[in-house]
Amino acid sequence: MKRHTWQREAVRDALGVRENFVSAQQLHAALRGGGSSIGLATVYRALADLASEGAADSLQQEGESLYRACTPGTHHHHLICRNCGLTVEIEADAVEQWANSVAAEHGFTRPHHVVDVFGFCAGCSIAEKTATP
Protein backbone atom coordinates (compact mmCIF):
# COMPACT_ATOMS: atom_id res chain seq x y z
CA MET A 1 0.00 0.00 0.00
CA LYS A 2 1.24 3.46 -0.90
CA ARG A 3 1.96 6.18 1.63
CA HIS A 4 -0.79 8.70 2.11
CA THR A 5 0.80 12.07 1.41
CA TRP A 6 -0.92 15.42 1.19
CA GLN A 7 -0.35 15.38 -2.59
CA ARG A 8 -2.02 12.01 -2.99
CA GLU A 9 -4.97 13.08 -0.85
CA ALA A 10 -5.25 16.33 -2.81
CA VAL A 11 -5.46 14.35 -6.07
CA ARG A 12 -8.00 11.93 -4.55
CA ASP A 13 -10.14 14.82 -3.28
CA ALA A 14 -9.95 16.77 -6.54
CA LEU A 15 -10.89 13.69 -8.54
CA GLY A 16 -13.74 12.90 -6.17
CA VAL A 17 -15.59 16.14 -6.84
CA ARG A 18 -15.71 15.62 -10.60
CA GLU A 19 -18.54 13.80 -12.32
CA ASN A 20 -16.70 13.25 -15.59
CA PHE A 21 -13.47 11.60 -16.63
CA VAL A 22 -10.56 14.03 -16.49
CA SER A 23 -6.97 14.02 -17.72
CA ALA A 24 -3.97 14.42 -15.44
CA GLN A 25 -3.31 17.80 -17.07
CA GLN A 26 -6.86 19.00 -16.41
CA LEU A 27 -6.73 17.84 -12.79
CA HIS A 28 -3.29 19.42 -12.33
CA ALA A 29 -4.57 22.74 -13.72
CA ALA A 30 -7.54 22.65 -11.35
CA LEU A 31 -5.31 21.92 -8.36
CA ARG A 32 -2.86 24.66 -9.31
CA GLY A 33 -5.77 27.05 -9.90
CA GLY A 34 -6.88 26.32 -6.35
CA GLY A 35 -3.47 27.33 -4.99
CA SER A 36 -1.78 23.93 -4.74
CA SER A 37 1.94 23.64 -5.45
CA ILE A 38 1.59 20.01 -6.61
CA GLY A 39 3.62 18.98 -9.66
CA LEU A 40 2.24 17.39 -12.80
CA ALA A 41 4.42 14.27 -12.41
CA THR A 42 3.00 13.78 -8.90
CA VAL A 43 -0.55 14.03 -10.26
CA TYR A 44 0.27 11.37 -12.88
CA ARG A 45 1.73 9.04 -10.24
CA ALA A 46 -1.16 9.54 -7.83
CA LEU A 47 -3.76 8.88 -10.55
CA ALA A 48 -1.96 5.73 -11.68
CA ASP A 49 -1.80 4.52 -8.08
CA LEU A 50 -5.50 5.26 -7.48
CA ALA A 51 -6.42 3.39 -10.65
CA SER A 52 -4.27 0.37 -9.74
CA GLU A 53 -5.89 0.25 -6.29
CA GLY A 54 -9.40 0.40 -7.78
CA ALA A 55 -10.15 3.84 -6.30
CA ALA A 56 -10.30 5.38 -9.78
CA ASP A 57 -11.48 4.21 -13.16
CA SER A 58 -9.31 4.93 -16.17
CA LEU A 59 -9.90 4.81 -19.88
CA GLN A 60 -8.04 5.73 -23.02
CA GLN A 61 -9.57 8.33 -25.29
CA GLU A 62 -7.71 9.64 -28.31
CA GLY A 63 -4.42 8.35 -26.89
CA GLU A 64 -4.84 10.04 -23.52
CA SER A 65 -5.56 8.44 -20.16
CA LEU A 66 -8.62 9.84 -18.41
CA TYR A 67 -9.58 9.18 -14.79
CA ARG A 68 -12.68 9.25 -12.62
CA ALA A 69 -13.14 8.42 -8.93
CA CYS A 70 -15.07 5.26 -8.21
CA THR A 71 -16.06 3.12 -5.28
CA PRO A 72 -13.26 0.60 -4.66
CA GLY A 73 -14.24 -3.04 -4.84
CA THR A 74 -17.30 -2.52 -7.03
CA HIS A 75 -17.58 -3.77 -10.57
CA HIS A 76 -19.47 -1.42 -12.84
CA HIS A 77 -19.60 -0.05 -16.34
CA HIS A 78 -20.03 3.44 -17.73
CA LEU A 79 -22.21 5.43 -20.09
CA ILE A 80 -20.07 8.36 -21.29
CA CYS A 81 -21.29 11.35 -23.28
CA ARG A 82 -19.04 11.93 -26.27
CA ASN A 83 -19.87 15.62 -26.23
CA CYS A 84 -19.82 16.87 -22.63
CA GLY A 85 -18.18 13.91 -20.88
CA LEU A 86 -21.05 13.25 -18.47
CA THR A 87 -20.42 9.80 -17.01
CA VAL A 88 -22.94 7.48 -15.39
CA GLU A 89 -21.98 4.26 -13.61
CA ILE A 90 -24.28 1.42 -14.62
CA GLU A 91 -24.75 -2.22 -13.80
CA ALA A 92 -25.02 -4.55 -16.76
CA ASP A 93 -26.13 -8.01 -15.67
CA ALA A 94 -26.56 -9.13 -19.28
CA VAL A 95 -22.92 -8.22 -20.01
CA GLU A 96 -21.75 -10.11 -16.91
CA GLN A 97 -23.68 -13.21 -17.95
CA TRP A 98 -22.41 -12.98 -21.51
CA ALA A 99 -18.75 -12.56 -20.41
CA ASN A 100 -18.98 -15.53 -18.06
CA SER A 101 -20.70 -17.67 -20.67
CA VAL A 102 -18.24 -16.89 -23.47
CA ALA A 103 -15.28 -17.43 -21.16
CA ALA A 104 -16.62 -20.79 -19.96
CA GLU A 105 -17.40 -21.85 -23.52
CA HIS A 106 -13.72 -21.43 -24.36
CA GLY A 107 -12.37 -22.95 -21.15
CA PHE A 108 -11.50 -19.65 -19.47
CA THR A 109 -12.13 -18.96 -15.80
CA ARG A 110 -12.32 -15.75 -13.76
CA PRO A 111 -13.02 -13.47 -16.74
CA HIS A 112 -12.36 -9.77 -16.33
CA HIS A 113 -13.69 -7.12 -18.66
CA VAL A 114 -14.23 -3.39 -19.04
CA VAL A 115 -17.28 -1.99 -20.80
CA ASP A 116 -17.64 1.71 -21.53
CA VAL A 117 -20.54 2.79 -23.74
CA PHE A 118 -20.10 6.11 -25.53
CA GLY A 119 -23.02 8.13 -26.87
CA PHE A 120 -24.75 11.45 -26.35
CA CYS A 121 -26.46 12.27 -23.04
CA ALA A 122 -30.05 13.52 -23.04
CA GLY A 123 -28.98 17.16 -22.65
CA CYS A 124 -26.52 17.06 -25.55
CA SER A 125 -29.01 15.16 -27.73
CA ILE A 126 -31.65 17.83 -27.14
CA ALA A 127 -29.16 20.64 -27.76
CA GLU A 128 -28.08 19.00 -31.00
CA LYS A 129 -31.68 18.65 -32.21
CA THR A 130 -32.52 22.27 -31.43
CA ALA A 131 -29.32 23.54 -33.08
CA THR A 132 -29.96 21.63 -36.32
CA PRO A 133 -32.02 23.73 -38.79
Side-chain angles (χ1 to χ4, degrees), residues 45-129:
R45 277 191 305 275
L47 288 170
D49 289 344
L50 291 170
S52 70
E53 294 169 4
D57 289 320
S58 67
L59 61 89
Q60 293 287 315
Q61 190 171 41
E62 298 176 14
E64 183 174 33
S65 293
L66 302 177
Y67 300 88
R68 181 175 183 270
C70 70
T71 307
T74 63
H75 180 73
H76 54 270
H77 306 285
H78 303 104
L79 292 172
I80 305 166
C81 181
R82 293 189 322 225
N83 186 52
C84 72
L86 174 68
T87 303
V88 178
E89 289 185 6
I90 59 170
E91 292 185 22
D93 292 336
V95 171
E96 303 306 322
Q97 293 171 5
W98 173 82
N100 289 327
S101 174
V102 168
E105 184 179 314
H106 295 278
F108 282 69
T109 61
R110 299 180 358 189
H112 175 78
H113 60 276
V114 175
V115 176
D116 294 319
V117 179
F118 294 85
F120 291 96
C121 70
C124 289
S125 294
I126 291 169
E128 182 182 52
K129 285 180 186 176

Side-chain angles (χ1 to χ4, degrees), residues 20-41:
N20 304 335
F21 280 87
V22 63
S23 71
Q25 294 91 347
Q26 291 168 322
L27 198 61
H28 178 253
L31 286 162
R32 295 294 294 232
S36 176
S37 62
I38 194 167
L40 180 57

